[in-house]
Amino acid sequence: TNTICQGESTLLMDNVQAGYRWSTGETGKNTQVGKSGDYSVRVVSAQGCLSPSSDPLRVVVNPLPATPVITASGSTTFCADQQVTLTASAEQRYVWSSGQTTSAITLNRSGTYTVRTQNEFSCFSALSTPVTIMVRSLPNEPTVRAEGPTVFCDGGQVVLTATSALPLFWTTGNTTRQITVKQTGDYSARVQDQFGCFSPFAPSI
């Protein structure tokens, strides 16, 4: 028995030097088949006499898996501190263009991703429709400085200044360039760019 996957074919050959008549109707020494079935051949002598049929050779064509569909857990365009999970439709085995072999992969880098699946007959599916991931870089953190001593007596205060061209967000909830601090604590700020990506927080004061 020869076993192949749908869409493939197998070459049947006879080793006798004479004329041939295959059960497919072909008359060459070789015949290419791509459908399940029992195949045999008869030899034709120079006088046109036919031999008995050979023992049949069974060819089994196994089905291909359906073309997989990729589902994303969220947006495929996101900031570099986030990630997305791509999940392929269910099958026995998976081969992603990125090399992973699990049904779902979690990504945080830009690229185009496809997957092929493999069924119980070890036949591969067609490639899925590609999914493109775009990861946006985070903006640089702002510079935060104290405009005076950061150790003072109760009732004192210090002004903290953050420097950046982007909108500012302090750990206190303030969104101004400067804040006035009167209580003990750690203070920092970060910025947000036009894509909604936040920078890391600046070193705290």
Side-chain angles (χ1 to χ4, degrees):
T1 299
N2 281 10
T3 302
I4 58 176
C5 295
Q6 183 181 355
E8 296 177 343
S9 61
T10 186
L11 183 64
L12 304 182
M13 301 173 56
D14 189 76
N15 58 5
V16 177
Q17 299 298 318
Y20 306 91
R21 187 165 300 164
W22 291 88
S23 55
T24 61
E26 299 290 323
T27 57
K29 181 177 181 181
N30 305 329
T31 185
Q32 198 86 22
V33 297
K35 295 182 179 180
S36 294
D38 293 328
Y39 296 89
S40 61
V41 65
R42 300 174 77 183
V43 177
V44 183
S45 71
Q47 294 77 28
C49 298
L50 289 172
S51 73
S53 291
S54 66
D55 290 336
L57 177 65
R58 174 155 289 185
V59 173
V60 176
V61 179
N62 288 318
L64 303 182
T67 302
V69 175
I70 298 175
T71 304
S73 63
S75 175
T76 55
T77 299
F78 51 86
C79 304
D81 56 350
Q82 300 168 349
Q83 59 189 21
V84 68
T85 298
L86 302 182
T87 303
S89 46
E91 196 45 82
Q92 298 289 318
R93 289 178 288 280
Y94 308 85
V95 180
W96 291 87
S97 54
S98 51
Q100 292 100 318
T101 56
T102 53
S103 61
I105 59 174
T106 299
L107 304 165
N108 65 348
R109 66 180 186 275
S110 296
T112 299
Y113 299 87
T114 56
V115 66
R116 297 176 77 189
T117 56
Q118 198 175 22
N119 62 16
E120 66 270 26
F121 306 112
S122 296
C123 296
F124 281 101
S125 71
L127 274 179
S128 67
T129 300
V131 172
T132 299
I133 305 294
M134 180 191 289
V135 179
R136 299 190 186 280
S137 298
L138 302 182
N140 293 327
E141 64 194 39
T143 300
V144 176
R145 70 178 185 275
E147 304 296 347
T150 57
V151 177
F152 47 82
C153 297
D154 189 22
Q157 63 184 34
V158 65
V159 173
L160 303 182
T161 301
T163 304
S164 175
L166 297 173
L168 290 156
F169 297 86
W170 292 88
T171 50
T172 59
N174 297 75
T175 57
T176 54
R177 192 173 72 87
Q178 291 185 322
I179 61 172
T180 300
V181 173
K182 300 178 180 181
Q183 295 180 336
T184 297
D186 293 326
Y187 297 87
S188 183
R190 61 179 179 170
V191 296
Q192 187 179 35
D193 66 16
Q194 70 271 31
F195 303 113
C197 296
F198 283 100
S199 74
F201 277 101
S204 61
I205 293 178

